[in-house]
Amino acid sequence: MSKWVSRPDDVDALVEKWADEFPQYLRAESKTQYGGHPVWALTVTDHEQESDQKPAAMFFKPHAHEPAPIAAQMNFISQLLTGQELDGTPTALPREEILANTVLCLMPDANPAGTAAAPVDAWDGSQYTNEEFWAWMRGIDPETGKMWKRVDLWDDTVEEPLPLRYGIVYEQISEHEYVEPNRHHRSSLFRWILELRERRKWDRMLSLHQCEFTGTVENAMMILPCLYDEQPAELQEMESAWARRIVEAWEEVPGGKPRQEIAPLGYTGQQRQYFVDRWGEIYKDSAIITSEIRNNSLPCPPELQQALNEKAIEVTVAELLDGN
Ligand SMILES: [Zn+2]
C-alpha cells in the first residue's frame, strides 16, 4: 500500500516541504479555519508556462470522517511533484505532460480540525460499527445514544439538546457556530470554491466522498448533480461520459466493485434543498460530479479506499489531457 498521509500535521509538513522544493510546480495557499488549521488549496501546474488557456480541474474533500480522499490526493500530488509515490515507488503517471498541459487545484482536506478529532487515521471497519462511526460523524444524540442530526448550520447556544460529543463532520466557524462544509457557504470549503471560481474557469470539479454502502458488496459509485436534469446538455454529456470512464477504470482496480448505475443525487426534502441552495449556481455553468468510496468496511480496506479515490482523480486528469 502506498503510504497513507491524512493527519493535518503530516499534511501540513509535506505541503510546506513540497512548496520549498517545487516552487515551479506547486502554489500552496491556505485559509486558516476557526480551529487554527490551514485549509490548503494546492495549485499544481508548471507555473512558468502561461496557464490561462490550459484546461483546469478542481478536486476537494468536504467531510472529515472520510479520510481516504486526503491520502489519495497527497499521493497523487507527490507523484506529480517528485515523480514518486509517497512510498518511493516511481510513478506511472505522465507527470511532465500533466504539468505542462493542465492546471489542477486540489483541496485535500476542507476541515482539518474535524480530521484531527477523528479517533483513527482510516476507518477500516475493524474497530467501530457503522452506528458508532455515524455518531463520530454527526455527534451523539443524548436522547437516543445514536447519531445526532444533519443540518447546514447550528449554534451551540441555541440548539437543544446538544450532542454529547460534537460530530467531526461539522466545521466550527466561530465561538458557537458549526457548519456542514458541503451545505453552507460559510465553510472553508465554500469560501475556497467561490474564490477559485472568481479567478478562472474550471472545466471539471470532482467532489471526493466516502459512504458505507450498507447492504451491498459494491465499494464505489459516481453521482451526478441533483439538478442534472436542468443542466445544459453540453454539461450533462460531459459529466455522464466522465463518470462512466471512472466506473470503467474502477473495474480494473484489484478489488474494485463499482456500481454500474450512474444517477443524479437522490436526496429529497431538506437535504436536497441544501444542495439546490448552495450548489445550484455552480451547476449552471460547471461540470461537477461526486465519487463515493466505501468507508468503515472490512472488505474495503484503507489501501483499496485510497486506490479507488486516486483512480477517480487520474481519470479526471486524463479527460483534461484528452481534450474531452
Ligand atoms: Zn461525504
Side-chain angles (χ1 to χ4, degrees):
M1 142 179 200
S2 191
K3 202 172 147 193
W4 178 283
V5 173
S6 65
R7 285 287 178 187
D9 288 351
D10 298 331
V11 169
D12 297 347
L14 255 182
V15 168
E16 283 158 16
K17 177 170 176 281
W18 285 337
D20 280 346
E21 287 178 17
F22 303 103
Q24 183 182 348
Y25 301 127
L26 173 63
R27 184 167 300 150
E29 300 173 279
S30 65
K31 295 184 187 298
T32 304
Q33 65 176 166
Y34 181 82
H37 292 275
V39 178
W40 296 105
L42 306 173
T43 307
V44 181
T45 186
D46 185 346
H47 289 285
E48 289 183 1
Q49 297 179 13
E50 180 59 47
S51 63
D52 290 354
Q53 300 306 315
K54 295 180 188 175
M58 195 193 291
F59 304 86
F60 46 90
K61 200 244 19 160
H63 291 149
H65 59 286
E66 302 165 10
I70 309 175
Q73 289 178 90
M74 294 303 284
N75 196 48
F76 183 76
I77 296 168
S78 173
Q79 293 174 70
L80 296 184
L81 298 179
T82 72
Q84 297 181 339
E85 302 196 39
L86 290 168
D87 67 1
T89 307
T91 184
L93 296 174
R95 62 179 286 272
E96 288 175 6
E97 188 186 354
I98 293 170
L99 290 166
N101 298 300
T102 68
V103 175
L104 309 177
C105 184
L106 302 102
M107 285 174 269
D109 189 351
N111 180 14
T115 305
V120 294
D121 287 3
W123 298 91
D124 64 7
S126 72
Q127 297 181 68
Y128 299 92
T129 65
N130 277 339
E131 284 209 342
E132 291 165 341
F133 165 65
W134 293 329
W136 275 99
M137 169 176 66
R138 289 188 205 155
I140 303 172
D141 187 315
E143 290 169 349
T144 65
K146 296 183 178 175
M147 72 174 156
W148 200 57
K149 59 190 176 183
R150 174 182 243 178
V151 291
D152 58 345
L153 178 145
W154 56 282
D155 181 322
D156 66 10
T157 64
V158 175
E159 288 295 336
E160 174 68 31
L162 287 168
L164 292 177
R165 181 183 62 223
Y166 291 4
I168 64 174
V169 73
Y170 291 109
E171 180 188 19
Q172 187 172 6
I173 56 166
S174 71
E175 187 179 359
H176 295 293
E177 293 170 299
Y178 297 77
V179 292
E180 210 279 31
N182 213 25
R183 287 166 172 72
H184 204 285
H185 281 183
R186 287 174 64 196
S187 66
S188 296
L189 173 75
F190 263 110
R191 290 169 58 218
W192 260 130
I193 289 174
L194 297 175
E195 180 175 327
L196 290 163
R197 277 168 55 81
E198 295 284 315
R199 293 186 191 175
R200 65 161 297 147
K201 177 183 188 320
W202 296 92
D203 300 283
R204 292 167 194 269
M205 298 169 69
L206 181 60
S207 190
L208 299 158
H209 292 260
Q210 297 192 259
C211 65
E212 289 66 69
F213 289 88
T214 47
T216 91
V217 298
E218 296 160 340
N219 53 26
M221 68 174 167
M222 293 306 304
I223 302 173
L224 302 167
C226 66
L227 294 178
Y228 176 80
D229 291 343
E230 298 171 25
Q231 286 186 293
E234 175 187 303
L235 291 180
Q236 292 176 333
E237 286 163 22
M238 192 174 183
E239 289 167 344
S240 292
W242 170 23
R244 175 59 59 199
R245 186 168 172 186
I246 292 174
V247 167
E248 286 168 1
W250 278 336
E251 287 174 0
E252 306 301 317
V253 174
K257 295 190 179 69
R259 180 171 300 176
Q260 293 302 319
E261 182 196 11
I262 299 169
L265 182 70
Y267 285 144
T268 57
Q270 182 65 66
Q271 296 302 324
R272 181 177 199 276
Q273 197 60 43
Y274 289 145
F275 278 83
V276 171
D277 292 344
R278 307 290 149 62
W279 291 96
E281 284 300 310
I282 297 173
Y283 295 150
K284 286 179 185 169
D285 62 17
S286 301
I288 173 169
I289 57 177
T290 294
S291 61
E292 294 277 2
I293 306 300
R294 190 165 185 147
N295 206 0
N296 201 48
S297 160
L298 289 172
C300 192
E303 57 265 34
L304 181 53
Q305 299 174 26
Q306 183 178 14
L308 291 166
N309 269 287
E310 239 174 283
K311 186 57 72 179
I313 296 168
E314 285 175 26
V315 169
T316 302
V317 174
E319 286 281 88
L320 290 184
L321 288 177
D322 291 349
N324 293 337

